[in-house]
Amino acid sequence: MANRRNVLLTGLWGMVALPSQATEDPTGGDPLGSMQWPDLRKTYLGNAQARFTDKVLVRAPAFADDALNVPLQIDARALQAQGGGIARMIVIADRNPIREVLTFEPLRALPLLAFRIRLEQASPIRCLVQTHDGQWHAGGVMVQAAGGGCTVPGVTRADGSWSQTLNQVQARFFTNLADASRRLRLQVMHPMDTGLVAGIPAFYIEQLELRDAGDQPWWRLALHEPVSENPLITLEMPAQGPREFRLVGQDNNGNRIDAGVRA
Amino acid sequence: MKAWSILAIALACCTAAVAQGTRQAPDQTRLDYRLQPRQIAADTWVIEGAVADFLPANGCNIINTAFIATGDGVVVVNTGPSRLYGEQQRRAIAAVTPQPVRMVLNLNLHPDYFFGNQAWGGVATQALAGSIAGMRAEGGGYADNLYRLCGDWMKGTEPTPAREALEPKAFTLGTHRLELRRLQGHTQDDLVLLDATSGVLFAGGLVFAERVPTTPHAHFAQWLQSLATLEQWRQQGQFKLLVPSHGPVDRGLQGIAQTRDWLQWLTALLEGSAPQGVDLSELLHTPIPSRFASWAAQPAELQRSLVQWYPAYERRALTRPPQ
């Protein structure tokens, strides 16, 4: 009897003595309060920790009126002078059926990128930024939505017109909008099918890269299914630099994208 | 496309209902809109909605409905956002006049103009043919959104498009000379009702007073043209009182200039930003001029307009060669 009571007492003491267990935060300290964060961190950062910081900005509307085209801008310019500069920026929508949106390697461009995504339901949208010293920095916002954006076909898929424009590129440089840089806006025509609409397999652009005449890359993008149909992407390039580039890339069916881009 | 109907009414957000004179707040527990007809001219009453965005707290009642007791029956203008509204509207009208309702008009295809039709069985519900086609095509999408936004207020509501297509015409009912006219721009088919006897114009969605205009089916050039037409009618003395579908009725006449001012500012913003390379995500943070600051339904309504319309301007700016 005495022994048993001791065991029980010890057990109780054990619980009390582990305050970290009693108060453990199931969101892993996520300022957006998302239960998915610990799992996402493990998936994308492995054992590394991320520092939540307002130096990583995600700009989005508070409410996504068009769940097929939610406009986002990610901005890590405040980290440029830190840790050797920015290696990559990963964008994730916690509660999308496909969570990974894109990875941006700014290389010689500014760490500032605008694009649009599909949103299946209200979700935190976050940007994980790795500096060259290996450190991770995280920022994000909560976006409300009626949702459904990942599971309905886009306009050109619905009317069948996508095949006439597949992988066509329109691009144009603009000046003097941010930091005296040159803004490049480009649109690649592609249905960006998520694979979540019955009978329509996933079909999306995987890689985009801007190269100069010497074949040197200026920035690189790895896209995933949640990027909106006919991606319209806005980048900031240094004011000084070549005027002739090529946009190269491919989709997951091996179709190539190769177009001249001239300032 | 589903996104279209989502845009039409994908409303959420945070705008506090603007307190409005004598209007009583609806009773959310008893689902009572507390509709209070207010007489604005001889034989003419309005039932004013909140000057706000769709919210459960206002019962999603943001529309001004109206009725004219002509002496030979009642003409009802718009039926509100739900079956429940239609039923309560019907009782509110019966409490004011014993005359039978002869005609129920839906001034355009948007849900708060016709979702109360369900309560008006046995009476001819009428709209322009194009509006009826739109109600049929988009009614389901509207219902999805209003159920999501408004909750219990929508109980038992089935989208019920107007049953009879009408043509613009002038006619006399009781002691009132009435004219139905077709304009365009807020939607493809904007019905306006002019009561030449009382000098009241029911302007539908063409005129917003002290509230940011909604633009899901807008054609901006046509809308501005229609506003010019309304202003011309006003200067000719065809009406002296204007009932907007949204916004305080007492400010209806000023609504013509207000709506024009907003549409001109909005289209200039759209047209001016794209050639500079501004991205939609940046445009959403545009500060609005102070003269609009007190208007209801912000920032949600402007964001909806920008998200819907700016991408076409962006595409044009990309295809045009640089200057």
Side-chain angles (χ1 to χ4, degrees):
Chain A
M1 272 306 266
N3 270 348
R4 212 154 125 204
R5 181 175 297 163
N6 272 342
V7 170
L8 272 171
L9 277 173
T10 313
L12 281 171
W13 275 115
M15 285 171 74
V16 176
L18 285 171
S20 67
Q21 212 171 46
T23 60
E24 195 179 359
D25 175 2
T27 72
D30 178 23
L32 295 171
S34 168
M35 305 281 261
Q36 285 95 338
W37 169 245
D39 180 47
L40 287 167
R41 191 184 60 79
K42 209 174 296 169
T43 304
Y44 294 102
L45 275 51
N47 290 323
Q49 292 293 327
R51 193 173 59 89
F52 292 103
T53 169
D54 54 14
K55 289 181 176 175
V56 177
L57 295 175
V58 178
R59 295 192 184 91
F63 188 90
D65 286 297
D66 180 356
L68 291 161
N69 291 287
V70 183
L72 298 184
Q73 188 185 52
I74 54 171
D75 183 355
R77 282 176 294 175
L79 285 174
Q80 268 179 300
Q82 215 167 305
I86 281 131
R88 60 184 52 77
M89 303 166 75
I90 305 177
V91 179
I92 292 163
D94 289 28
R95 294 179 199 157
N96 256 4
I98 299 164
R99 304 188 296 192
E100 194 170 356
V101 176
L102 59 79
T103 298
F104 175 45
E105 295 174 63
L107 304 178
R108 282 182 266 188
L110 268 60
L112 177 65
L113 184 77
F115 52 96
R116 278 148 226 188
I117 72 165
R118 299 160 179 264
L119 209 52
E120 187 62 13
Q121 58 177 314
S123 174
I125 296 176
R126 52 181 100 238
C127 181
L128 310 177
V129 178
Q130 189 176 35
T131 39
H132 282 293
D133 61 5
Q135 296 297 311
W136 286 95
H137 314 260
V141 289
M142 183 72 194
V143 177
Q144 298 295 336
C150 298
T151 47
V152 291
V155 177
T156 63
R157 171 60 71 184
D159 70 10
S161 65
W162 65 272
S163 60
Q164 291 151 33
T165 55
L166 185 70
N167 288 341
Q168 287 179 5
V169 175
Q170 270 142 6
R172 185 172 158 189
F173 278 94
F174 299 84
T175 48
N176 291 328
L177 270 149
D179 288 1
S181 55
R182 282 189 297 173
R183 168 165 292 196
L184 171 60
R185 306 198 78 198
L186 58 90
Q187 185 166 38
V188 186
M189 302 304 283
H190 202 286
M192 297 297 285
D193 296 310
T194 59
L196 302 173
V197 181
I200 306 173
F203 181 39
Y204 58 95
I205 300 169
E206 287 182 322
Q207 290 287 338
L208 282 178
E209 192 173 295
L210 193 74
R211 294 190 194 150
D212 62 20
D215 226 26
Q216 292 302 305
W218 282 65
W219 51 258
R220 191 177 292 133
L221 271 168
L223 307 183
H224 295 274
E225 294 91 325
V227 175
S228 296
E229 175 186 30
N230 303 331
L232 172 59
I233 299 168
T234 304
L235 301 113
E236 297 293 334
M237 309 266 292
Q240 304 302 318
R243 299 176 61 83
E244 303 258 355
F245 296 94
R246 264 172 56 233
L247 180 74
V248 295
Q250 64 177 38
D251 65 29
N252 68 332
N253 281 16
N255 300 303
R256 294 204 177 283
I257 296 157
D258 191 340
V261 174
R262 179 190 290 258
Chain B
M1 179 180 146
K2 181 149 192 231
W4 189 257
S5 53
I6 291 174
L7 275 167
I9 43 164
L11 311 171
C13 228
C14 21
T15 321
V18 173
Q20 225 205 334
T22 55
R23 257 191 85 253
Q24 263 191 304
D27 182 341
Q28 271 189 273
T29 45
R30 297 175 52 215
L31 296 179
D32 180 355
Y33 287 101
R34 290 182 169 151
L35 302 182
Q36 295 167 311
R38 179 168 75 85
Q39 189 162 13
I40 54 164
D43 309 327
T44 308
W45 287 261
V46 292
I47 306 176
E48 292 171 287
V51 185
D53 211 341
F54 289 126
L55 290 169
N58 59 34
C60 288
N61 172 19
I62 61 169
I63 192 163
N64 300 324
T65 65
F67 58 97
I68 309 166
T70 64
D72 182 20
V74 179
V75 177
V76 177
V77 179
N78 294 333
T79 61
S82 66
R83 174 186 64 85
L84 214 54
Y85 184 100
E87 290 170 359
Q88 294 178 21
Q89 177 191 35
R90 202 168 182 167
R91 285 201 293 274
I93 293 171
V96 170
T97 171
Q99 297 175 36
V101 173
R102 294 254 184 263
M103 186 186 262
V104 174
L105 301 172
N106 305 135
L107 297 186
N108 70 42
L109 78 167
H110 290 154
D112 43 347
Y113 290 65
F114 81 94
F115 266 29
N117 284 3
Q118 213 178 339
W120 289 97
V123 182
T125 49
Q126 300 181 323
L128 290 167
S131 301
I132 294 178
M135 293 171 189
R136 288 183 182 146
E138 304 203 26
Y142 294 156
D144 285 351
N145 281 288
L146 285 186
Y147 270 87
R148 180 176 61 77
L149 291 168
C150 316
D152 283 352
W153 292 99
M154 299 304 295
K155 270 184 198 167
T157 303
E158 305 261 1
T160 309
R163 286 203 304 256
E164 289 178 19
L166 56 74
E167 295 283 339
K169 62 181 173 189
F171 60 102
T172 300
L173 197 62
T175 58
H176 287 252
R177 277 184 301 116
L178 301 172
E179 274 189 59
L180 291 165
R181 296 177 180 176
R182 178 177 175 271
L183 294 174
Q184 277 185 303
H186 175 60
T187 70
Q188 262 190 333
D189 297 271
D190 293 309
L191 184 63
V192 300
L193 171 65
L194 176 66
D195 184 333
T197 306
S198 64
V200 178
L201 182 84
F202 301 88
L206 288 167
V207 176
F208 284 72
E210 291 171 9
R211 186 208 192 272
V212 177
T214 64
T215 62
H217 295 96
H219 185 297
F220 295 114
Q222 289 175 351
W223 194 342
L224 287 166
Q225 184 57 49
S226 291
L227 288 168
T229 303
L230 291 179
E231 180 57 29
Q232 196 184 2
W233 294 350
R234 189 186 71 81
Q235 283 172 12
Q236 290 165 353
Q238 296 195 36
F239 61 87
K240 52 185 193 293
L241 204 58
L242 184 150
V243 178
S245 286
H246 303 281
V249 171
D250 294 339
R251 304 282 294 163
L253 284 176
Q254 288 89 332
I256 298 176
Q258 288 180 346
T259 306
R260 182 172 52 219
D261 191 5
W262 176 268
L263 294 179
Q264 285 171 341
W265 173 77
L266 176 64
T267 49
L269 178 67
L270 293 166
E271 278 161 15
S273 301
Q276 292 176 43
V278 175
D279 184 70
L280 175 57
S281 59
E282 297 163 324
L283 197 64
L284 289 177
H285 297 95
T286 306
I288 63 151
S290 58
R291 63 186 188 276
F292 303 132
S294 65
W295 292 10
Q298 300 195 57
E301 206 65 74
L302 172 60
Q303 297 212 339
R304 279 195 281 275
S305 294
L306 296 176
V307 166
Q308 180 184 0
W309 293 106
Y310 190 58
Y313 290 85
E314 288 178 299
R315 269 195 302 282
R316 277 203 290 280
L318 279 190
T319 49
R320 204 170 296 158
Q323 285 105 13

